Amino acid sequence: MTTVENHTIRFYWTFPELLAEVCRASAYEARTLADEKGQPLADRYTLTEDERPFVEGQLAAALNTLLQQFRRMIPDGCAVEAGGGVYALTVAAREAEDGTPLYGAAELAAADGVARSVLCGLVLRDWWLSVGLPDRAAVYVQRVQGWTAELSRLLFRFYRPAAYSSVSVAEPEKEYRLDGGEI
């Protein structure tokens, strides 16, 4: 989720939501695993509530990784918050000289969604490594790289220079002749 207050933007995610997301993703992937005899291994490899300490530790590390990604694109500084069931990044909201925001709700929502995917992807990468499935972890390494590139693109648009926020080609109420004179 994202909030904007007092010229700051706060991207935040609650632990129960993130835990549910990583558990669901691991369950979807673990259901395709089977041993040599064809017996399902979902019970063995699915991330559950029991692994809560693992997820909490990995989310804190993933949030620091995400913070580094934000710091590369956002010049105005970032703050991180991990604890109390909330994982958050707070950044300065970039505005034009007249106070108009240089971002839109769609940009905020997109950045929030991709940042959340990065967080969960990093946790899942480490989960697959911890249970001895490096091939599954490699899939998440690639996914996180893609999400990170997308996040960089979104943050660049989000913090683009004010000159590029909007461009007016001509005044809409005026028409011009081919020789450049006004009609």
Side-chain angles (χ1 to χ4, degrees), residues 168-182:
S168 177
V169 177
E171 298 173 27
E173 66 274 357
K174 293 186 179 179
E175 293 184 34
Y176 297 90
R177 294 190 315 235
L178 291 177
D179 64 3
E182 229 178 279

Side-chain angles (χ1 to χ4, degrees), residues 15-95:
F15 180 75
E17 292 169 345
L18 294 172
L19 179 63
E21 189 168 329
V22 295
C23 288
R24 183 174 41 254
S26 72
Y28 286 148
E29 292 207 28
R31 68 184 175 159
T32 65
L33 301 174
D35 63 11
E36 311 81 43
K37 297 177 183 176
Q39 297 297 316
L41 295 172
D43 290 343
R44 182 174 176 187
Y45 292 114
T46 299
L47 193 113
T48 63
E49 266 300 315
D50 296 338
E51 283 82 28
R52 184 182 192 99
F54 173 84
V55 175
E56 287 174 339
Q58 295 307 315
L59 276 173
L63 189 63
N64 284 326
T65 301
L66 187 61
L67 173 66
Q68 297 310 314
Q69 183 65 26
F70 269 73
R71 281 188 176 158
R72 284 195 296 171
M73 299 304 294
I74 299 174
D76 302 330
C78 303
V80 65
E81 173 189 340
V86 174
Y87 296 86
L89 286 171
T90 305
V91 298
R94 187 121 187 279
E95 299 173 344

Side-chain angles (χ1 to χ4, degrees), residues 80-135:
V80 65
E81 173 189 340
V86 174
Y87 296 86
L89 286 171
T90 305
V91 298
R94 187 121 187 279
E95 299 173 344
E97 291 178 12
D98 65 356
T100 306
L102 297 176
Y103 54 87
E107 290 170 311
L108 285 176
D112 178 71
V114 174
R116 179 186 181 119
S117 294
V118 170
L119 281 176
C120 293
L122 289 169
V123 170
L124 287 164
R125 177 203 63 193
D126 293 341
W127 169 251
W128 293 119
L129 285 173
S130 75
V131 295
L133 294 174
D135 292 343

